[in-house]
């Protein structure tokens, strides 16, 4: 159990080497609808030429609201996590919520309890089973899970019907019933990664860590705190933004008064019109950079402010 938890922590931490222009693994997922669930996956590179792939584990991924399984291979923080997993010889499989596939605005996972009556949880369970069989992956290979926000809530349900080696719940504590309805259930090792600026989530996770720990469950808490915007921040994380454009983004945001003297964001970027201002920049080339990378830049600003965003950073 402890080994499983440490393995997941190693996966979540130590990402720094990949941030300094270390884009060695090409991201090129395969996708297919398995039953009713759309799955996107990639094996470590180079993969063996035969279908019997030797991997040290499988990392399954569950997106938050407003996203889909494909975003794990598109957005910067998600791509960093995928690359680290591939470097650790883990196969990566990301699933899309049915709402995401149907084009619903929320694109959230179904948070219905109990799992045996949650059609989406059962659908993902069957899809994962089919995927493992399709690739002749042994049942003894460790299976890990990372879920963010809605995906974390869904993962807390799914861990009762999938035999996970360890899970990480990001920026959400999971569903209360998942911990207390089945008092005798054997929970997998759980890593909670959250942003303390979200005080309510932090309080719930502190309670769960103590309560579950007192009941001999293996739990660990990691936090992600606000960070300053630096001149190279965007180019360090978004591989298609140049160092020069990253520097220009910094200069513009600084000049417009969005940063403290210490270069921390003054306000939550979700409500500060920072992207709107960038899209209205006098420089047409800067506007083009922002237009091409809008979702990625929004994600990174949310991480810098550190209230509620999937992250590859830990402090």
């Amino acid at each position: 159990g402890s080994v499983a938890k440490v393995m997941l922590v190693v996966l979540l931490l130590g990402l720094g080497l990949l941030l300094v222009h270390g884009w060695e693994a090409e991201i090129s997922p395969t996708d297919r609808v398995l039953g009713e669930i759309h799955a996107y996956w990639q094996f470590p590179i180079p993969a063996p030429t035969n279908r019997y792939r030797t991997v040290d584990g499988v990392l399954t991924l569950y997106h938050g609201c407003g996203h889909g399984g494909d975003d794990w291979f598109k957005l910067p923080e998600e791509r960093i996590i995928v690359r680290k997993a591939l470097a650790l010889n883990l196969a990566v499989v990301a699933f899309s919520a049915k709402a995401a596939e149907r084009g619903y605005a929320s694109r959230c996972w179904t948070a219905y309890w109990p799992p045996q009556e949650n059609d989406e949880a059962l659908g993902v369970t069957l899809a994962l089973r089919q995927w493992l069989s399709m690739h002749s992956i042994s049942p003894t290979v460790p299976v890990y899970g990372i879920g963010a926000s809605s995906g974390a809530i869904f993962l807390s349900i799914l861990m009762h019907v999938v035999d996970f080696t360890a899970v990480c719940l990001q920026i959400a504590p999971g569903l209360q019933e998942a911990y207390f309805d089945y008092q005798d259930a054997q929970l997998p090792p759980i890593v909670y990664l959250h942003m303390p600026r979200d005080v309510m989530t932090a309080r719930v996770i502190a309670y769960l860590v103590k309560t579950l720990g007192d009941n001999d469950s293996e739990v660990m808490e990691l936090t992600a705190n606000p960070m300053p915007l630096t001149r190279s921040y965007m180019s360090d994380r978004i591989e298609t933004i140049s160092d020069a454009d990253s520097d220009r983004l910094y200069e513009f945001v600084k000049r417009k008064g969005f940063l403290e003297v210490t270069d921390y964001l003054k306000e939550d970027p979700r409500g500060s019109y920072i992207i709107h201002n960038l899209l209205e920049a006098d420089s047409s080339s800067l506007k083009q950079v922002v237009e091409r990378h809008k979702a990625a830049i929004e994600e990174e600003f949310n991480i810098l402010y550190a209230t509620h965003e999937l992250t590859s950073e830990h402090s």
Side-chain angles (χ1 to χ4, degrees):
S2 297
V3 173
K5 184 167 66 177
V6 169
M7 178 79 176
L8 186 61
V9 172
V10 167
L11 169 65
L12 295 169
L13 298 172
L15 297 168
L17 291 176
L18 295 172
L19 295 179
V20 187
H21 308 292
W23 312 108
E24 56 266 13
E26 179 184 353
I27 301 295
S28 181
T30 301
D31 73 292
R32 179 173 165 183
V33 177
L34 303 174
E36 296 183 342
I37 303 297
H38 201 155
Y40 301 79
W41 67 85
Q42 184 164 341
F43 279 88
I45 299 172
T49 54
N50 63 39
R51 67 189 294 265
Y52 295 95
R53 301 172 188 265
T54 302
V55 294
D56 292 326
V58 176
L59 175 63
T60 65
L61 301 168
Y62 308 88
H63 61 82
C65 293
H67 294 284
D70 56 332
D71 283 325
W72 288 96
F73 302 91
K74 292 179 178 178
L75 293 173
E77 295 297 306
E78 288 87 335
R79 286 167 68 90
I80 291 169
I81 291 172
V82 167
R83 279 201 171 90
K84 184 61 179 177
L86 295 174
L88 290 172
N89 199 39
L90 301 181
V92 176
V93 191
F95 298 103
S96 276
K98 291 181 181 179
E101 292 299 305
R102 293 169 182 167
Y104 297 160
S106 69
R107 307 182 80 191
C108 300
W109 291 94
T110 304
Y112 187 81
W113 185 266
Q116 294 81 2
E117 297 176 18
N118 185 323
D119 289 342
E120 196 157 50
L122 297 178
V124 170
T125 302
L126 291 173
L128 176 58
R129 192 177 301 160
Q130 181 181 343
W131 185 88
L132 292 168
S133 174
M134 191 166 70
H135 296 286
S136 302
I137 294 177
S138 167
T140 62
V141 169
V143 177
Y144 305 96
I146 297 177
S149 195
S150 168
I153 295 170
F154 183 71
L155 185 54
S156 73
I157 299 167
L158 195 65
M159 68 186 184
H160 287 277
V161 286
V162 172
D163 187 17
F164 286 108
T165 303
V167 299
C168 173
L169 308 186
Q170 280 209 30
I171 57 175
L175 202 67
Q176 179 178 320
E177 293 89 337
Y179 304 110
F180 303 115
D181 269 21
Y182 296 155
Q183 294 287 351
D184 298 328
Q186 183 63 46
L187 299 176
I190 301 170
V191 177
Y192 294 101
L193 170 57
H194 68 100
M195 296 175 165
R197 204 168 216 169
D198 180 352
V199 176
M200 290 302 297
T201 295
R203 286 175 180 167
V204 174
I205 287 174
Y207 169 76
L208 287 173
V209 168
K210 182 179 187 310
T211 304
L212 296 176
D214 289 346
N215 290 331
D216 296 326
S217 293
E218 292 189 78
V219 291
M220 179 179 288
E221 179 182 5
L222 299 173
T223 59
N225 293 295
M227 297 183 293
L229 178 65
T230 65
R231 293 181 179 276
S232 65
Y233 180 88
M234 292 298 177
S235 57
D236 285 344
R237 284 167 169 74
I238 305 172
E239 59 211 82
T240 49
I241 289 184
S242 69
D243 289 342
D245 286 334
S246 182
D247 187 79
R248 289 200 300 151
L249 280 165
Y250 168 84
E251 286 287 353
F252 182 88
V253 172
K254 184 81 167 178
R255 188 171 70 250
K256 288 291 184 177
F258 288 104
L259 300 180
E260 303 280 3
V261 175
T262 54
D263 286 341
Y264 286 83
L265 289 171
K266 289 181 179 179
E267 300 175 37
D268 189 335
R270 286 186 170 96
S272 70
Y273 301 104
I274 190 169
I275 296 294
H276 173 79
N277 272 264
L278 282 165
L279 290 171
E280 297 295 321
D282 294 334
S283 167
S284 60
S285 59
L286 182 58
K287 284 169 63 175
Q288 289 172 4
V289 169
V290 177
E291 286 168 354
R292 286 199 307 270
H293 302 90
K294 182 173 178 289
I297 292 172
E298 284 177 334
E299 178 176 79
E300 292 302 338
F301 278 132
N302 291 339
I303 288 166
L304 289 174
Y305 193 73
T307 298
H308 189 81
E309 185 61 82
L310 178 145
T311 180
S312 65
E313 284 297 306
H314 312 76
S315 57

